[in-house]
Amino acid sequence: MTLSTTLSVTVRAAAKVNLHLGVGRPRPDGFHPLATVYQTLSLHDDVTASTGPAWSVSLVCEDDIDRDAFPAGEDNIVVRAGRLLAAHHDVGLAAGLTVRKSIPIAGGLAGGSADAAATLVALDRLWDLQTSDADLLALAARLGSDVPFALVGGTALGGGRGELVTPAPDEGTRWWVVVPARTGLSTPAVYRHFDELCPDAPEEVTVPDDLVAALGDPDNRVLAAVLRNDLQPVAIDLRPELGELIEAGERAGALRGIVSGSGPTCLFLCSDRGSADRLRTTLLDAGHPRVLVALGPVSGTHVVEYS
């Protein structure tokens, strides 16, 4: 094959929030059936892939992100994504990967999935592999349930284990206040606790019609009324302070507060940008060290720099 003369490619991928997350009882293969509605937020990580003789990964991040929770070396999902892409094309290539992280680790915002999606795109461009969209999505699904959506972005319905993605029209401009927790929550631990608390969960789950209809209404109050996350009571049972935070945010003016995914990040849907800014100030004054305002939906994984 003929290698590209590009020396590095930087790709951006966004965090996600689950507008709806329905969870069923585990299937025989151990996975939980999911019915979800994803939305990407204007909170992102950047992955830079550079030509190199061996795999390496480095982290550049915000001061309040737990560096120790970032897997080093071969265990990182970005290296696994790179190896998977190389094996798919049967090329013996490696690269240096730098992750510039703003999305909290183990926060329920799919930061690792975003990094994996960004790596697939960055290496595809770096190595000029011209992988088809269908193949990229198939590889993404092998890396994790949220990775295909990270490629697509916007607002989308997710089925199966979350990896079956169907774009959904969204007529609104959704303003969110994002409050990361100081420490993450293990997704497997949350699902195990779900099984303990919800032994009668249904075998099959679906996205409700009222949620799909709310996406067609630009009024954020309509969407706020139908937000749902079956893992939220589980996360709050493990971390009661999350429930207290949601109550405080709603008292302070949020239309609705939710736990994103398996948690522990809490998000608050607001009526407009001004309302979101005011809530951010209130929560910062209450002692939360990092409070962000984010817009959704935003585009999926995309290249931001070649060099």
Side-chain angles (χ1 to χ4, degrees), residues 187-213:
T187 297
V190 172
Y191 275 97
R192 285 194 298 270
H193 199 48
F194 173 85
D195 294 339
E196 295 169 357
L197 295 181
C198 307
D200 297 324
E203 290 185 1
E204 300 295 334
V205 287
T206 59
V207 174
D209 292 340
D210 57 358
L211 191 287
V212 176

Side-chain angles (χ1 to χ4, degrees), residues 58 93 168 208 283 305:
S58 59
L93 297 172
L283 294 176
E305 185 179 2

Side-chain angles (χ1 to χ4, degrees), residues 10-153:
T10 299
V11 171
R12 178 163 295 172
K16 63 84 183 167
V17 59
N18 296 92
L19 306 179
H20 176 89
L21 180 55
V23 183
R25 72 181 67 169
R27 304 181 313 207
D29 63 6
F31 288 105
H32 294 76
L34 303 178
T36 189
V37 179
Y38 295 111
Q39 182 168 104
T40 39
L41 305 174
S42 57
L43 172 64
H44 60 264
D45 288 354
D46 288 344
V47 175
T48 300
S50 304
T51 56
W55 291 107
S56 65
V57 58
S58 59
L59 173 67
V60 179
C61 66
E62 306 286 344
D63 291 341
D64 59 346
I65 287 178
D66 183 5
R67 296 183 65 91
D68 292 337
F70 186 79
E74 301 289 325
D75 292 334
N76 197 289
I77 193 170
V78 297
V79 176
R80 289 194 281 120
R83 288 189 177 279
L84 187 62
L85 182 67
H88 176 74
H89 289 280
D90 194 24
V91 294
L93 297 172
L97 301 167
T98 300
V99 180
R100 291 174 175 82
K101 178 163 280 296
S102 296
I103 305 172
I105 298 171
L109 296 172
S113 296
D115 297 342
T119 300
L120 288 175
V121 174
L123 290 174
D124 180 67
R125 303 302 189 270
L126 180 72
W127 295 335
D128 194 23
L129 297 173
Q130 302 182 37
T131 313
S132 70
D133 290 345
D135 283 353
L136 281 176
L137 285 167
L139 293 172
R142 293 173 61 184
L143 290 164
S145 299
D146 293 335
V147 185
F149 172 68
L151 285 172
V152 174

Side-chain angles (χ1 to χ4, degrees), residues 257-268:
I258 59 171
V259 173
S260 183
S262 58
T265 303
C266 291
L267 291 99
F268 298 91

